[in-house]
Amino acid sequence: MAVIVQKYGGTSVGSLSRIEAIAENIIATRRQGHQVVVVLSAMAGETNRLLSLATALDPKPATRELDMLLSAGEQVSISLLAIALIQRGFSAISLLAHQVGIQTDNHFGRARIRSVDNKRLLEALEQEQVVVIAGFQGMDSEQNITTLGRGGSDTSAVAVAVALEASECQIYTDVDGIYSADPRIEPQATRLAAIAFDEMLVMASLGAKVLQNRAVEYAMAHNMPIRVLSSFAIGDGTKVINEALMAGESKTSQPVSNIAHHQQEALVTISDVIDDNTLAEIFVLLGEAGIEVDMISVEMQNNCKHKVKFSIHRDDCAQASEKLHEMAQKNIIGAIHCNQKIVKISAIGIGLKSHAGVAGKLFAALAKENINVLMISTSEITISVIVDELNLVKGVRLLHQTFGLNSSK
């Protein structure tokens, strides 16, 4: 029998009725002749509730203890699902990550999975049990509980699927697949039957919240197919697969397959940077503070000093400004400005590799509608622009139409 790993997110297990619905879905999969391993998130809102308890005691709680606390949410959901399955006459067992043998590094709050021991899982499957695993968590080499960061249950599921050589990893969420744009912004967005790993990885890093980017990285590295499905409606969902397999899947003939956006952006501008050494010092300082820099542009001013612009996550704006003001006090950089009223819009597609003129088409469309581009970044499969946040909806819809992605309905 083929092994299928199914992951259900917080909204999918948000109530007892939803947990019972998941139990029925798992039973249906079993009756199709599959062995099933399930990975669960905590019930919707539970992680935030636990976090609020910790920060009420300490605004910056100890990271080890915070992971110990936050990992408790999944213990509730997995045991409830196992109870629901057993009540329906199916053998099931709930297991925490350390009982499974999910080993991680020791970066609390953002740990990475190093290995998964499949011995106990295989034993349970041989006994025809449905195995229900706590997502989002693992254990480091000193047996400390670690968590994988927001969306980490996706990565847990993919890692378990790889360890079991599953036929595919099914990610059940509150949407019925991956779309050509966010349907909440573009009503004409279409569901994609399939998408390549590298496209999905870019989408995840550029703001698409359907899958955690680490989960896509892990699946891509081990060639583990992912299928994104809805917990609330029956459908085929969207397959995330190796690019080499895309020829056999229904997909858009356009060079661009998706328009993604990210709203939590900030654009930092620094004037009068005295030389290249100072320029390097800026980014070393930000890196040491754990601030990730995305787009960067440097131009020469009339006074032969540099003006540098770069984008960061909006949450990092205050810390970045604080660090940079330390440099400003040394008179090696000038004024610092952080614009938090911007967004990033990106055109993504493996077809960009072989289609000339896509960039020109994109910029012409934006210019025609008087949407000013503040910064540009390109790669083999993406073109990203920073624009004023007031142009978010207009920009996404415009590019979606420009690249022929609107549905025919």
Side-chain angles (χ1 to χ4, degrees):
M1 291 189 292
V3 176
I4 290 179
V5 175
Q6 298 182 340
K7 177 264 177 178
Y8 295 90
T11 55
S12 302
V13 294
S15 66
L16 291 180
S17 62
R18 288 305 313 153
I19 289 173
E20 290 183 310
I22 288 172
E24 294 296 339
N25 192 53
I26 293 165
I27 290 169
T29 307
R30 279 294 303 271
R31 286 175 174 159
Q32 292 170 2
H34 302 296
Q35 294 179 308
V36 185
V37 175
V38 185
V39 176
L40 294 189
S41 298
M43 297 174 76
E46 181 63 9
T47 301
N48 287 338
R49 185 186 73 85
L50 294 172
L51 180 61
S52 67
L53 292 175
T55 53
L57 294 172
D58 184 346
K60 294 183 178 180
T63 54
R64 180 194 181 279
E65 301 311 320
L66 188 60
D67 275 14
M68 177 72 81
L69 175 66
L70 297 184
S71 65
E74 283 70 23
Q75 186 167 347
V76 174
S77 58
I78 62 172
S79 55
L80 289 174
L81 178 59
I83 289 169
L85 287 166
I86 293 168
Q87 191 273 334
R88 286 163 171 76
F90 283 79
S91 180
I93 183 171
S94 62
L95 297 172
L96 297 173
H98 74 272
Q99 293 174 305
V100 174
I102 298 178
Q103 293 287 332
T104 74
D105 59 27
N106 63 353
H107 290 96
F108 297 111
R110 52 187 177 88
R112 287 184 176 270
I113 294 176
R114 288 179 171 171
S115 65
V116 178
D117 186 350
N118 65 12
K119 182 179 178 181
R120 186 162 187 183
L121 294 175
L122 292 173
E123 289 174 351
L125 291 175
E126 286 175 6
Q127 296 169 16
E128 298 188 355
Q129 292 181 311
V130 175
V131 186
V132 187
I133 301 171
F136 177 63
Q137 60 181 248
M139 181 178 65
D140 69 11
S141 59
E142 296 181 353
Q143 298 187 341
N144 295 304
I145 291 175
T146 58
T147 64
L148 310 180
R150 292 287 185 173
S153 293
D154 290 350
T155 307
S156 301
V158 171
V160 168
V162 169
L164 292 173
E165 298 181 359
S167 57
E168 69 178 21
C169 179
Q170 299 176 348
I171 305 292
Y172 284 85
T173 181
D174 53 0
V175 295
D176 63 349
I178 298 162
Y179 278 73
S180 55
D182 188 334
R184 294 168 296 184
I185 289 182
E186 175 48 86
Q188 294 287 323
T190 57
R191 182 179 59 81
L192 305 177
I195 187 169
F197 283 128
D198 48 2
E199 283 182 281
M200 188 65 239
L201 187 58
V202 171
M203 285 176 59
S205 64
L206 292 176
K209 298 177 181 179
V210 180
L211 290 172
Q212 190 199 46
N213 57 355
R214 287 187 183 180
V216 183
E217 285 177 0
Y218 205 108
M220 186 175 179
H222 298 277
N223 199 22
M224 171 54 62
I226 298 174
R227 189 184 295 270
V228 177
L229 297 154
S230 171
S231 297
F232 306 97
I234 298 173
D236 295 328
T238 301
K239 291 175 69 176
V240 187
I241 53 178
N242 190 296
E243 182 183 337
L245 301 175
M246 289 293 291
E249 298 292 338
S250 173
K251 62 172 184 171
T252 175
S253 59
Q254 301 292 334
V256 173
S257 63
N258 182 273
I259 305 298
H261 69 277
H262 190 242
Q263 293 176 263
Q264 297 301 310
E265 295 278 330
L267 182 61
V268 179
T269 303
I270 308 172
S271 63
D272 296 328
V273 178
I274 61 173
D275 55 26
D276 290 343
N277 289 331
T278 305
L279 191 63
E281 188 179 340
I282 289 171
F283 295 108
V284 169
L285 184 69
L286 295 173
E288 289 174 346
I291 298 171
E292 294 185 6
V293 176
D294 186 14
M295 302 186 192
I296 303 173
S297 72
V298 181
E299 59 185 75
M300 188 68 74
Q301 300 174 178
N302 292 333
N303 59 3
C304 295
K305 294 181 181 180
H306 300 298
K307 175 184 284 187
V308 58
K309 297 180 181 180
F310 54 89
S311 60
I312 58 176
H313 195 283
R314 200 170 289 181
D315 291 346
D316 292 328
C317 208
Q319 186 182 12
S321 297
E322 180 183 340
K323 293 292 182 181
L324 292 169
H325 275 106
E326 295 174 7
M327 294 184 66
Q329 291 175 352
K330 301 177 185 177
N331 296 319
I332 55 176
I333 63 173
I336 303 160
H337 180 253
C338 191
N339 179 4
Q340 299 187 57
K341 296 183 177 181
I342 60 160
V343 294
K344 177 164 62 177
I345 303 176
S346 304
I348 305 165
I350 54 177
L352 289 177
K353 299 176 183 178
S354 56
H355 283 75
V358 173
K361 191 174 182 180
L362 182 148
F363 295 125
L366 294 175
K368 186 177 180 180
E369 295 298 323
N370 298 314
I371 298 177
N372 186 36
V373 176
L374 305 176
M375 189 171 284
I376 305 162
S377 174
T378 64
S379 73
E380 273 195 327
I381 64 170
T382 184
I383 302 172
S384 297
V385 294
I386 295 288
V387 300
D388 189 284
E389 67 178 3
L390 295 175
N391 290 317
L392 170 61
V393 174
K394 183 180 180 181
V396 168
R397 292 180 178 178
L398 172 65
L399 295 184
H400 198 267
Q401 180 179 14
T402 297
F403 292 108
L405 300 178
N406 282 8
S407 66
S408 57
K409 61 185 178 181

